[in-house]
Amino acid sequence: MSRVALISGITGQDGSYLSELLLDKGYTVHGIKRRSSSFNTDRIDRIDVHPRNADARLFLHYSDLSDPASLTNLIRDIRPDEVYNLGAQSHVRVSFDIPGYTAGITGLGALHMLESTRAANVGARFYQASSSEMFGATPPPQREETPFHPRSPYACAKVYAYWSAVNYRESWGMYCTNGILFNHESPRRSENFVTRKITRAVARIEAGIQDKLYLGNLDAVRDWGYAPEYVEAMWLSLQQDRPDDYVVATGEGHTVREFVEAAFAHVGLDWREYVMIDPRYFRPAEVDALIGDYTKARRTLGWAPKTLFGDLVRIMVDADRQLLEDERMGRLVRIDR
Ligand code: NAP
Ligand code: F7E
């Protein structure tokens, strides 16, 4: 019998890579998609086989992190071995505009997933997508014992979700694990996170269809890794004898300015001719520096990053150039390949 996984957030960046990884490992994968007025499954369309096909091992279900009854019914029906809670309103800047919604989905939504998993009573292991944003104002290097000091409604919601997962582990004996992941990026990153915003603009400026790139704080330091490698850490963290919490990071910090410089340099352009500062992109409270210490993940999970800053920038810029070329040639457009 193949193992069964349920993924909330399957239509997002990480959900798409995780479902590919689990299908490769022989899992049957169920994913939660939410109702949207337009298609929202671009990232998984390449692997989605219609359920009427006898080979189908990926199944999508309408549900929502704001609807606990539907989550409970779903988990009872599916009887998963592993539950990955990746669903969230995940944009930090946007969370200042919609704090209540962010708390409801990113924070309380995790509790709904935990409680539904407990109620189903099928012994499922639970992964909570926790975030380096929880460390916020606490200076680097950040590791599992580093105190949290969240700086946004998003980060506050993630702290609530983190402690809820710990609480279900301690009070109900559930196998609940937090992956405290630092920023991880890819060609599938949404266009309004800074890395993808930059690499997409570089490709468009090179192609002559965009003049300027407007950004906010260039001094922020982030520890950027490659998303396909980070979903392996998620899976590994659920294969251990005991549940625990893990920092997943590269251990390298770079400023947004360095990312910009490297991305423009990759296509032979000087970023200073194109980048403008727009204060609208500043945040009411900024997280100045996040650099993770992944020693525990390396020792316990045997995990280490392979793709570091320079390669990540090149992968993302080249993928956005290819995407433009595909559009220009009228080819079937994939977010990456
Ligand atoms: P993402 O691309 O923004 O994906 C978020 C997913 O959550 C999407 O599938 C989205 O659906 C879904 N979602 C949003 N609201 C929902 C709702 N009400 N009910 C059900 N699903 C809902 O995020 P990601 O980069 O893949 O990150 C995955 C998880 O890791 C998130 O929890 C994020 O906060 C966390 N995280 C990310 C990073 C990072 O650097 N990427 C680092 C640390 C932690 P739609 O496709 O319909 O919008
Ligand atoms: O910002 C600065 C911005 O939005 C990175 C999410 O996945 O990682 C992500 O959160 C930095 C910040 O990611 C622009 O002020 C400058 O300092 O790409 P970002 P994030 O806020 O770090 C964490 C770990 C998560 O958990 C989140 O879900 O870049 N910045 N100019 C800008 N940021 C954006 N978005 N847009 C700009 O124009």
Side-chain angles (χ1 to χ4, degrees), residues 8-15 32-34 36 40 43 63-66 85-90 101 105-106 129-132 154 158 180-185 188-190 193 234:
S8 77
I10 195 168
T11 56
Q13 171 188 258
D14 292 3
I32 291 171
K33 69 171 172 180
R34 58 183 177 148
S36 157
N40 60 354
R43 293 184 179 99
S63 185
D64 200 290
L65 290 168
S66 63
N85 183 38
L86 311 186
Q89 189 304 92
S90 71
Y101 177 80
I105 302 305
T106 307
S130 288
S131 168
S132 52
Y154 167 80
K158 282 290 184 188
I180 308 176
L181 271 53
F182 283 59
N183 299 53
H184 45 281
E185 318 292 316
R188 296 185 200 172
R189 188 59 139 151
S190 299
F193 292 94
M234 294 180 188

mmCIF file of all heavy atoms in Angstrom, residues 8-15 32-34 36 40 43 63-66 85-90 101 105-106 129-132 154 158 180-185 188-190 193 234, ligand 1:
data_model
loop_
_atom_site.group_PDB
_atom_site.id
_atom_site.type_symbol
_atom_site.label_atom_id
_atom_site.label_comp_id
_atom_site.label_asym_id
_atom_site.label_seq_id
_atom_site.Cartn_x
_atom_site.Cartn_y
_atom_site.Cartn_z
ATOM 1 N N SER A 8 -1.931 20.917 2.688
ATOM 2 C CA SER A 8 -2.622 22.203 2.505
ATOM 3 C C SER A 8 -1.604 23.139 1.867
ATOM 4 O O SER A 8 -0.402 23.045 2.137
ATOM 5 C CB SER A 8 -3.125 22.764 3.832
ATOM 6 O OG SER A 8 -2.053 23.332 4.567
ATOM 7 N N GLY A 9 -2.081 24.024 0.978
ATOM 8 C CA GLY A 9 -1.134 24.900 0.270
ATOM 9 C C GLY A 9 -0.459 24.204 -0.892
ATOM 10 O O GLY A 9 0.626 24.608 -1.324
ATOM 11 N N ILE A 10 -1.114 23.175 -1.444
ATOM 12 C CA ILE A 10 -0.481 22.398 -2.536
ATOM 13 C C ILE A 10 -0.312 23.239 -3.801
ATOM 14 O O ILE A 10 0.556 22.951 -4.622
ATOM 15 C CB ILE A 10 -1.301 21.117 -2.824
ATOM 16 C CG1 ILE A 10 -0.473 20.142 -3.666
ATOM 17 C CG2 ILE A 10 -2.639 21.440 -3.493
ATOM 18 C CD1 ILE A 10 -1.057 18.756 -3.755
ATOM 19 N N THR A 11 -1.121 24.281 -3.957
ATOM 20 C CA THR A 11 -1.022 25.099 -5.172
ATOM 21 C C THR A 11 0.077 26.157 -5.072
ATOM 22 O O THR A 11 0.324 26.890 -6.024
ATOM 23 C CB THR A 11 -2.368 25.803 -5.470
ATOM 24 O OG1 THR A 11 -2.727 26.578 -4.307
ATOM 25 C CG2 THR A 11 -3.472 24.799 -5.764
ATOM 26 N N GLY A 12 0.731 26.262 -3.917
ATOM 27 C CA GLY A 12 1.790 27.255 -3.724
ATOM 28 C C GLY A 12 3.144 26.745 -4.197
ATOM 29 O O GLY A 12 3.280 25.620 -4.682
ATOM 30 N N GLN A 13 4.152 27.586 -4.017
ATOM 31 C CA GLN A 13 5.512 27.200 -4.430
ATOM 32 C C GLN A 13 5.935 25.877 -3.788
ATOM 33 O O GLN A 13 6.292 24.902 -4.470
ATOM 34 C CB GLN A 13 6.515 28.294 -4.022
ATOM 35 C CG GLN A 13 7.970 27.854 -4.232
ATOM 36 C CD GLN A 13 8.995 28.824 -3.670
ATOM 37 O OE1 GLN A 13 9.583 29.582 -4.403
ATOM 38 N NE2 GLN A 13 9.217 28.799 -2.356
ATOM 39 N N ASP A 14 5.913 25.826 -2.457
ATOM 40 C CA ASP A 14 6.424 24.635 -1.764
ATOM 41 C C ASP A 14 5.526 23.423 -1.980
ATOM 42 O O ASP A 14 6.002 22.300 -2.131
ATOM 43 C CB ASP A 14 6.523 24.895 -0.254
ATOM 44 C CG ASP A 14 7.599 25.910 0.085
ATOM 45 O OD1 ASP A 14 8.218 26.450 -0.851
ATOM 46 O OD2 ASP A 14 7.821 26.155 1.285
ATOM 47 N N GLY A 15 4.206 23.665 -1.989
ATOM 48 C CA GLY A 15 3.278 22.555 -2.174
ATOM 49 C C GLY A 15 3.516 21.840 -3.493
ATOM 50 O O GLY A 15 3.436 20.612 -3.576
ATOM 51 N N ILE A 32 -5.264 20.244 -0.771
ATOM 52 C CA ILE A 32 -6.400 21.143 -0.565
ATOM 53 C C ILE A 32 -6.245 22.328 -1.495
ATOM 54 O O ILE A 32 -5.224 23.011 -1.474
ATOM 55 C CB ILE A 32 -6.418 21.636 0.900
ATOM 56 C CG1 ILE A 32 -6.773 20.471 1.823
ATOM 57 C CG2 ILE A 32 -7.383 22.813 1.058
ATOM 58 C CD1 ILE A 32 -6.613 20.808 3.301
ATOM 59 N N LYS A 33 -7.258 22.537 -2.344
ATOM 60 C CA LYS A 33 -7.260 23.782 -3.117
ATOM 61 C C LYS A 33 -8.461 24.598 -2.685
ATOM 62 O O LYS A 33 -9.500 24.041 -2.305
ATOM 63 C CB LYS A 33 -7.261 23.529 -4.615
ATOM 64 C CG LYS A 33 -8.531 22.945 -5.170
ATOM 65 C CD LYS A 33 -8.496 22.936 -6.692
ATOM 66 C CE LYS A 33 -9.693 22.167 -7.225
ATOM 67 N NZ LYS A 33 -9.751 22.105 -8.668
ATOM 68 N N ARG A 34 -8.286 25.917 -2.720
ATOM 69 C CA ARG A 34 -9.411 26.748 -2.301
ATOM 70 C C ARG A 34 -10.125 27.280 -3.529
ATOM 71 O O ARG A 34 -9.552 27.385 -4.614
ATOM 72 C CB ARG A 34 -8.945 27.871 -1.395
ATOM 73 C CG ARG A 34 -7.909 28.770 -2.016
ATOM 74 C CD ARG A 34 -7.465 29.801 -1.031
ATOM 75 N NE ARG A 34 -6.413 30.630 -1.595
ATOM 76 C CZ ARG A 34 -6.230 31.892 -1.294
ATOM 77 N NH1 ARG A 34 -7.026 32.481 -0.419
ATOM 78 N NH2 ARG A 34 -5.254 32.570 -1.836
ATOM 79 N N SER A 36 -11.481 29.658 -6.141
ATOM 80 C CA SER A 36 -10.996 30.918 -6.683
ATOM 81 C C SER A 36 -11.765 31.186 -7.966
ATOM 82 O O SER A 36 -12.187 30.246 -8.654
ATOM 83 C CB SER A 36 -9.499 30.785 -6.958
ATOM 84 O OG SER A 36 -9.093 31.701 -7.914
ATOM 85 N N ASN A 40 -6.160 28.373 -10.216
ATOM 86 C CA ASN A 40 -5.054 28.625 -9.284
ATOM 87 C C ASN A 40 -4.159 27.385 -9.145
ATOM 88 O O ASN A 40 -3.502 27.210 -8.133
ATOM 89 C CB ASN A 40 -5.582 29.084 -7.912
ATOM 90 C CG ASN A 40 -6.498 28.048 -7.266
ATOM 91 O OD1 ASN A 40 -6.824 27.046 -7.874
ATOM 92 N ND2 ASN A 40 -6.899 28.300 -6.035
ATOM 93 N N ARG A 43 0.873 25.724 -10.880
ATOM 94 C CA ARG A 43 2.137 25.113 -10.464
ATOM 95 C C ARG A 43 2.071 23.583 -10.411
ATOM 96 O O ARG A 43 3.105 22.940 -10.398
ATOM 97 C CB ARG A 43 2.548 25.631 -9.076
ATOM 98 C CG ARG A 43 2.909 27.110 -9.032
ATOM 99 C CD ARG A 43 3.382 27.439 -7.633
ATOM 100 N NE ARG A 43 3.784 28.819 -7.465
ATOM 101 C CZ ARG A 43 3.014 29.768 -6.930
ATOM 102 N NH1 ARG A 43 1.791 29.481 -6.525
ATOM 103 N NH2 ARG A 43 3.479 30.999 -6.796
ATOM 104 N N SER A 63 -11.356 22.786 -0.169
ATOM 105 C CA SER A 63 -11.514 23.005 1.258
ATOM 106 C C SER A 63 -10.878 24.365 1.552
ATOM 107 O O SER A 63 -10.467 25.076 0.628
ATOM 108 C CB SER A 63 -10.839 21.900 2.076
ATOM 109 O OG SER A 63 -11.097 22.073 3.456
ATOM 110 N N ASP A 64 -10.800 24.728 2.813
ATOM 111 C CA ASP A 64 -10.220 26.028 3.148
ATOM 112 C C ASP A 64 -9.797 25.996 4.609
ATOM 113 O O ASP A 64 -10.472 25.388 5.445
ATOM 114 C CB ASP A 64 -11.264 27.138 2.929
ATOM 115 C CG ASP A 64 -10.606 28.497 2.781
ATOM 116 O OD1 ASP A 64 -10.068 29.014 3.784
ATOM 117 O OD2 ASP A 64 -10.612 29.032 1.652
ATOM 118 N N LEU A 65 -8.688 26.666 4.893
ATOM 119 C CA LEU A 65 -8.196 26.681 6.283
ATOM 120 C C LEU A 65 -9.148 27.422 7.215
ATOM 121 O O LEU A 65 -9.027 27.321 8.430
ATOM 122 C CB LEU A 65 -6.796 27.301 6.338
ATOM 123 C CG LEU A 65 -5.702 26.418 5.717
ATOM 124 C CD1 LEU A 65 -4.407 27.202 5.542
ATOM 125 C CD2 LEU A 65 -5.449 25.190 6.590
ATOM 126 N N SER A 66 -10.093 28.155 6.654
ATOM 127 C CA SER A 66 -11.068 28.854 7.491
ATOM 128 C C SER A 66 -12.308 27.998 7.747
ATOM 129 O O SER A 66 -13.254 28.469 8.370
ATOM 130 C CB SER A 66 -11.484 30.163 6.816
ATOM 131 O OG SER A 66 -12.127 29.870 5.590
ATOM 132 N N ASN A 85 1.040 21.035 6.678
ATOM 133 C CA ASN A 85 0.260 22.278 6.681
ATOM 134 C C ASN A 85 1.103 23.424 6.113
ATOM 135 O O ASN A 85 1.801 24.132 6.845
ATOM 136 C CB ASN A 85 -0.225 22.633 8.086
ATOM 137 C CG ASN A 85 -1.097 23.880 8.041
ATOM 138 O OD1 ASN A 85 -1.885 24.059 7.094
ATOM 139 N ND2 ASN A 85 -0.944 24.765 9.006
ATOM 140 N N LEU A 86 1.005 23.594 4.803
ATOM 141 C CA LEU A 86 1.752 24.661 4.111
ATOM 142 C C LEU A 86 0.856 25.840 3.747
ATOM 143 O O LEU A 86 1.342 26.878 3.304
ATOM 144 C CB LEU A 86 2.390 24.117 2.818
ATOM 145 C CG LEU A 86 3.183 22.812 2.899
ATOM 146 C CD1 LEU A 86 3.841 22.518 1.559
ATOM 147 C CD2 LEU A 86 4.232 22.880 3.992
ATOM 148 N N GLY A 87 -0.425 25.708 3.905
ATOM 149 C CA GLY A 87 -1.343 26.780 3.519
ATOM 150 C C GLY A 87 -1.163 27.990 4.420
ATOM 151 O O GLY A 87 -1.010 27.856 5.637
ATOM 152 N N ALA A 88 -1.197 29.171 3.826
ATOM 153 C CA ALA A 88 -1.053 30.410 4.612
ATOM 154 C C ALA A 88 -1.303 31.621 3.729
ATOM 155 O O ALA A 88 -1.141 31.545 2.510
ATOM 156 C CB ALA A 88 0.359 30.515 5.193
ATOM 157 N N GLN A 89 -1.682 32.735 4.354
ATOM 158 C CA GLN A 89 -1.485 34.043 3.721
ATOM 159 C C GLN A 89 -0.035 34.354 4.049
ATOM 160 O O GLN A 89 0.304 34.712 5.176
ATOM 161 C CB GLN A 89 -2.447 35.064 4.319
ATOM 162 C CG GLN A 89 -2.507 36.415 3.607
ATOM 163 C CD GLN A 89 -1.179 37.141 3.467
ATOM 164 O OE1 GLN A 89 -0.468 36.979 2.456
ATOM 165 N NE2 GLN A 89 -0.817 37.923 4.469
ATOM 166 N N SER A 90 0.845 34.211 3.063
ATOM 167 C CA SER A 90 2.280 34.135 3.362
ATOM 168 C C SER A 90 3.046 35.421 3.072
ATOM 169 O O SER A 90 4.262 35.434 3.226
ATOM 170 C CB SER A 90 2.900 32.981 2.564
ATOM 171 O OG SER A 90 2.955 33.317 1.196
ATOM 172 N N TYR A 101 -7.323 38.761 8.682
ATOM 173 C CA TYR A 101 -7.388 37.629 7.756
ATOM 174 C C TYR A 101 -6.135 36.756 7.914
ATOM 175 O O TYR A 101 -6.209 35.528 7.955
ATOM 176 C CB TYR A 101 -7.506 38.150 6.310
ATOM 177 C CG TYR A 101 -7.503 37.047 5.287
ATOM 178 C CD1 TYR A 101 -8.664 36.327 5.028
ATOM 179 C CD2 TYR A 101 -6.340 36.717 4.597
ATOM 180 C CE1 TYR A 101 -8.665 35.298 4.097
ATOM 181 C CE2 TYR A 101 -6.322 35.689 3.665
ATOM 182 C CZ TYR A 101 -7.488 34.989 3.422
ATOM 183 O OH TYR A 101 -7.479 33.961 2.514
ATOM 184 N N ILE A 105 -6.072 32.736 8.854
ATOM 185 C CA ILE A 105 -5.623 31.653 7.956
ATOM 186 C C ILE A 105 -4.273 31.088 8.403
ATOM 187 O O ILE A 105 -4.098 29.874 8.534
ATOM 188 C CB ILE A 105 -5.521 32.174 6.497
ATOM 189 C CG1 ILE A 105 -6.873 32.716 6.032
ATOM 190 C CG2 ILE A 105 -5.001 31.075 5.585
ATOM 191 C CD1 ILE A 105 -8.023 31.734 6.152
ATOM 192 N N THR A 106 -3.329 31.987 8.656
ATOM 193 C CA THR A 106 -1.961 31.538 8.947
ATOM 194 C C THR A 106 -1.836 31.022 10.379
ATOM 195 O O THR A 106 -1.076 30.094 10.649
ATOM 196 C CB THR A 106 -0.982 32.713 8.692
ATOM 197 O OG1 THR A 106 -1.217 33.206 7.366
ATOM 198 C CG2 THR A 106 0.462 32.303 8.842
ATOM 199 N N ALA A 129 4.487 24.397 8.727
ATOM 200 C CA ALA A 129 5.416 25.277 7.994
ATOM 201 C C ALA A 129 5.675 26.531 8.814
ATOM 202 O O ALA A 129 5.036 27.570 8.632
ATOM 203 C CB ALA A 129 4.828 25.637 6.634
ATOM 204 N N SER A 130 6.617 26.433 9.734
ATOM 205 C CA SER A 130 7.002 27.599 10.529
ATOM 206 C C SER A 130 8.053 28.416 9.777
ATOM 207 O O SER A 130 8.577 27.976 8.752
ATOM 208 C CB SER A 130 7.516 27.152 11.895
ATOM 209 O OG SER A 130 6.424 26.687 12.673
ATOM 210 N N SER A 131 8.345 29.595 10.306
ATOM 211 C CA SER A 131 9.112 30.556 9.498
ATOM 212 C C SER A 131 10.184 31.282 10.299
ATOM 213 O O SER A 131 9.985 31.624 11.470
ATOM 214 C CB SER A 131 8.134 31.592 8.932
ATOM 215 O OG SER A 131 8.829 32.679 8.384
ATOM 216 N N SER A 132 11.277 31.605 9.642
ATOM 217 C CA SER A 132 12.328 32.430 10.245
ATOM 218 C C SER A 132 11.801 33.811 10.640
ATOM 219 O O SER A 132 12.404 34.483 11.481
ATOM 220 C CB SER A 132 13.490 32.588 9.256
ATOM 221 O OG SER A 132 13.008 33.050 8.007
ATOM 222 N N TYR A 154 1.897 38.646 10.116
ATOM 223 C CA TYR A 154 2.231 37.302 9.594
ATOM 224 C C TYR A 154 3.084 36.547 10.596
ATOM 225 O O TYR A 154 2.808 35.381 10.922
ATOM 226 C CB TYR A 154 2.970 37.440 8.249
ATOM 227 C CG TYR A 154 3.618 36.154 7.779
ATOM 228 C CD1 TYR A 154 2.873 35.157 7.161
ATOM 229 C CD2 TYR A 154 4.992 35.930 7.965
ATOM 230 C CE1 TYR A 154 3.467 33.968 6.723
ATOM 231 C CE2 TYR A 154 5.589 34.752 7.533
ATOM 232 C CZ TYR A 154 4.818 33.770 6.924
ATOM 233 O OH TYR A 154 5.415 32.597 6.499
ATOM 234 N N LYS A 158 2.385 33.115 12.734
ATOM 235 C CA LYS A 158 3.253 31.926 12.642
ATOM 236 C C LYS A 158 3.734 31.487 14.034
ATOM 237 O O LYS A 158 3.915 30.290 14.277
ATOM 238 C CB LYS A 158 4.456 32.208 11.729
ATOM 239 C CG LYS A 158 4.126 32.140 10.238
ATOM 240 C CD LYS A 158 3.836 30.709 9.774
ATOM 241 C CE LYS A 158 3.593 30.629 8.281
ATOM 242 N NZ LYS A 158 3.124 29.309 7.824
ATOM 243 N N ILE A 180 11.384 25.222 10.734
ATOM 244 C CA ILE A 180 11.541 26.684 10.779
ATOM 245 C C ILE A 180 12.393 27.063 9.570
ATOM 246 O O ILE A 180 13.629 27.079 9.622
ATOM 247 C CB ILE A 180 12.193 27.145 12.101
ATOM 248 C CG1 ILE A 180 11.431 26.544 13.296
ATOM 249 C CG2 ILE A 180 12.228 28.671 12.171
ATOM 250 C CD1 ILE A 180 12.044 26.863 14.657
ATOM 251 N N LEU A 181 11.704 27.310 8.470
ATOM 252 C CA LEU A 181 12.415 27.507 7.214
ATOM 253 C C LEU A 181 12.737 28.976 6.980
ATOM 254 O O LEU A 181 11.883 29.855 7.180
ATOM 255 C CB LEU A 181 11.584 26.944 6.052
ATOM 256 C CG LEU A 181 11.827 25.459 5.730
ATOM 257 C CD1 LEU A 181 11.673 24.557 6.957
ATOM 258 C CD2 LEU A 181 10.938 24.976 4.600
ATOM 259 N N PHE A 182 13.975 29.213 6.571
ATOM 260 C CA PHE A 182 14.382 30.545 6.142
ATOM 261 C C PHE A 182 13.958 30.718 4.679
ATOM 262 O O PHE A 182 13.533 29.747 4.040
ATOM 263 C CB PHE A 182 15.896 30.722 6.356
ATOM 264 C CG PHE A 182 16.239 30.974 7.807
ATOM 265 C CD1 PHE A 182 15.900 30.040 8.794
ATOM 266 C CD2 PHE A 182 16.850 32.151 8.204
ATOM 267 C CE1 PHE A 182 16.165 30.281 10.139
ATOM 268 C CE2 PHE A 182 17.134 32.400 9.552
ATOM 269 C CZ PHE A 182 16.791 31.470 10.518
ATOM 270 N N ASN A 183 14.055 31.951 4.178
ATOM 271 C CA ASN A 183 13.537 32.235 2.830
ATOM 272 C C ASN A 183 14.052 31.213 1.821
ATOM 273 O O ASN A 183 15.256 30.955 1.759
ATOM 274 C CB ASN A 183 13.986 33.625 2.356
ATOM 275 C CG ASN A 183 13.478 34.741 3.238
ATOM 276 O OD1 ASN A 183 13.670 34.710 4.448
ATOM 277 N ND2 ASN A 183 12.847 35.722 2.649
ATOM 278 N N HIS A 184 13.144 30.687 1.019
ATOM 279 C CA HIS A 184 13.560 29.794 -0.054
ATOM 280 C C HIS A 184 12.765 30.142 -1.305
ATOM 281 O O HIS A 184 11.573 30.417 -1.246
ATOM 282 C CB HIS A 184 13.419 28.318 0.339
ATOM 283 C CG HIS A 184 12.146 27.988 1.000
ATOM 284 N ND1 HIS A 184 11.878 28.248 2.331
ATOM 285 C CD2 HIS A 184 11.019 27.415 0.512
ATOM 286 C CE1 HIS A 184 10.665 27.845 2.632
ATOM 287 N NE2 HIS A 184 10.118 27.340 1.534
ATOM 288 N N GLU A 185 13.456 30.119 -2.400
ATOM 289 C CA GLU A 185 12.979 30.755 -3.626
ATOM 290 C C GLU A 185 13.118 29.774 -4.781
ATOM 291 O O GLU A 185 13.772 28.737 -4.658
ATOM 292 C CB GLU A 185 13.839 32.008 -3.912
ATOM 293 C CG GLU A 185 14.151 32.852 -2.686
ATOM 294 C CD GLU A 185 12.933 33.545 -2.102
ATOM 295 O OE1 GLU A 185 12.140 34.102 -2.878
ATOM 296 O OE2 GLU A 185 12.762 33.543 -0.861
ATOM 297 N N ARG A 188 9.279 29.217 -9.325
ATOM 298 C CA ARG A 188 7.844 29.156 -9.005
ATOM 299 C C ARG A 188 7.436 30.135 -7.907
ATOM 300 O O ARG A 188 6.295 30.110 -7.444
ATOM 301 C CB ARG A 188 7.459 27.733 -8.585
ATOM 302 C CG ARG A 188 7.640 26.726 -9.676
ATOM 303 C CD ARG A 188 7.135 25.363 -9.246
ATOM 304 N NE ARG A 188 7.728 24.335 -10.084
ATOM 305 C CZ ARG A 188 7.626 23.038 -9.895
ATOM 306 N NH1 ARG A 188 6.916 22.597 -8.854
ATOM 307 N NH2 ARG A 188 8.208 22.187 -10.686
ATOM 308 N N ARG A 189 8.348 30.932 -7.400
ATOM 309 C CA ARG A 189 8.028 31.919 -6.372
ATOM 310 C C ARG A 189 7.016 32.921 -6.933
ATOM 311 O O ARG A 189 7.136 33.346 -8.093
ATOM 312 C CB ARG A 189 9.340 32.641 -6.011
ATOM 313 C CG ARG A 189 9.277 33.574 -4.835
ATOM 314 C CD ARG A 189 8.866 32.887 -3.583
ATOM 315 N NE ARG A 189 9.618 33.329 -2.418
ATOM 316 C CZ ARG A 189 9.125 33.318 -1.189
ATOM 317 N NH1 ARG A 189 7.878 32.902 -0.968
ATOM 318 N NH2 ARG A 189 9.868 33.683 -0.171
ATOM 319 N N SER A 190 6.047 33.318 -6.118
ATOM 320 C CA SER A 190 5.091 34.336 -6.568
ATOM 321 C C SER A 190 5.836 35.605 -6.946
ATOM 322 O O SER A 190 6.855 35.955 -6.336
ATOM 323 C CB SER A 190 4.094 34.669 -5.460
ATOM 324 O OG SER A 190 3.366 33.526 -5.112
ATOM 325 N N PHE A 193 7.169 38.549 -4.295
ATOM 326 C CA PHE A 193 8.258 38.438 -3.322
ATOM 327 C C PHE A 193 9.512 38.998 -3.987
ATOM 328 O O PHE A 193 9.638 38.957 -5.218
ATOM 329 C CB PHE A 193 8.463 36.981 -2.883
ATOM 330 C CG PHE A 193 7.313 36.463 -2.071
ATOM 331 C CD1 PHE A 193 6.277 35.768 -2.663
ATOM 332 C CD2 PHE A 193 7.238 36.718 -0.703
ATOM 333 C CE1 PHE A 193 5.196 35.320 -1.925
ATOM 334 C CE2 PHE A 193 6.156 36.274 0.043
ATOM 335 C CZ PHE A 193 5.127 35.576 -0.568
ATOM 336 N N MET A 234 11.525 19.030 4.721
ATOM 337 C CA MET A 234 10.183 18.827 5.309
ATOM 338 C C MET A 234 9.904 17.327 5.444
ATOM 339 O O MET A 234 9.486 16.846 6.495
ATOM 340 C CB MET A 234 9.089 19.429 4.403
ATOM 341 C CG MET A 234 9.121 20.927 4.281
ATOM 342 S SD MET A 234 7.757 21.424 3.180
ATOM 343 C CE MET A 234 8.122 23.168 2.996
HETATM 344 P P1 NAP B 1 2.763 30.383 -1.150
HETATM 345 O O1 NAP B 1 3.388 30.141 -2.490
HETATM 346 O O2 NAP B 1 2.239 31.719 -0.820
HETATM 347 O O3 NAP B 1 1.576 29.295 -1.008
HETATM 348 C C1 NAP B 1 0.602 29.417 -0.002
HETATM 349 C C2 NAP B 1 -0.450 28.355 -0.234
HETATM 350 O O4 NAP B 1 -1.485 28.502 0.755
HETATM 351 C C3 NAP B 1 -1.161 28.447 -1.612
HETATM 352 O O5 NAP B 1 -1.408 27.142 -2.075
HETATM 353 C C4 NAP B 1 -2.446 29.142 -1.250
HETATM 354 O O6 NAP B 1 -3.496 28.910 -2.183
HETATM 355 C C5 NAP B 1 -2.735 28.479 0.076
HETATM 356 N N1 NAP B 1 -3.752 29.188 0.852
HETATM 357 C C6 NAP B 1 -3.839 30.516 1.094
HETATM 358 N N2 NAP B 1 -4.940 30.788 1.799
HETATM 359 C C7 NAP B 1 -5.568 29.599 1.997
HETATM 360 C C8 NAP B 1 -6.782 29.236 2.636
HETATM 361 N N3 NAP B 1 -7.578 30.136 3.191
HETATM 362 N N4 NAP B 1 -7.114 27.924 2.674
HETATM 363 C C9 NAP B 1 -6.341 26.992 2.076
HETATM 364 N N5 NAP B 1 -5.193 27.290 1.445
HETATM 365 C C10 NAP B 1 -4.821 28.581 1.414
HETATM 366 O O7 NAP B 1 3.768 29.975 0.008
HETATM 367 P P2 NAP B 1 5.106 29.068 -0.048
HETATM 368 O O8 NAP B 1 6.254 29.947 -0.350
HETATM 369 O O9 NAP B 1 4.851 27.877 -0.862
HETATM 370 O O10 NAP B 1 5.242 28.671 1.495
HETATM 371 C C11 NAP B 1 4.601 27.506 2.015
HETATM 372 C C12 NAP B 1 4.410 27.675 3.509
HETATM 373 O O11 NAP B 1 5.679 27.868 4.142
HETATM 374 C C13 NAP B 1 3.567 28.878 3.912
HETATM 375 O O12 NAP B 1 2.890 28.520 5.100
HETATM 376 C C14 NAP B 1 4.597 29.946 4.240
HETATM 377 O O13 NAP B 1 4.072 30.874 5.146
HETATM 378 C C15 NAP B 1 5.689 29.109 4.845
HETATM 379 N N6 NAP B 1 7.058 29.617 4.709
HETATM 380 C C16 NAP B 1 7.532 29.984 3.486
HETATM 381 C C17 NAP B 1 8.848 30.396 3.368
HETATM 382 C C18 NAP B 1 9.425 30.783 2.023
HETATM 383 O O14 NAP B 1 10.490 31.415 2.009
HETATM 384 N N7 NAP B 1 8.805 30.404 0.906
HETATM 385 C C19 NAP B 1 9.682 30.419 4.490
HETATM 386 C C20 NAP B 1 9.166 29.999 5.722
HETATM 387 C C21 NAP B 1 7.852 29.584 5.819
HETATM 388 P P3 NAP B 1 -3.611 29.792 -3.547
HETATM 389 O O15 NAP B 1 -2.614 29.179 -4.508
HETATM 390 O O16 NAP B 1 -5.028 29.597 -3.924
HETATM 391 O O17 NAP B 1 -3.244 31.204 -3.190
#
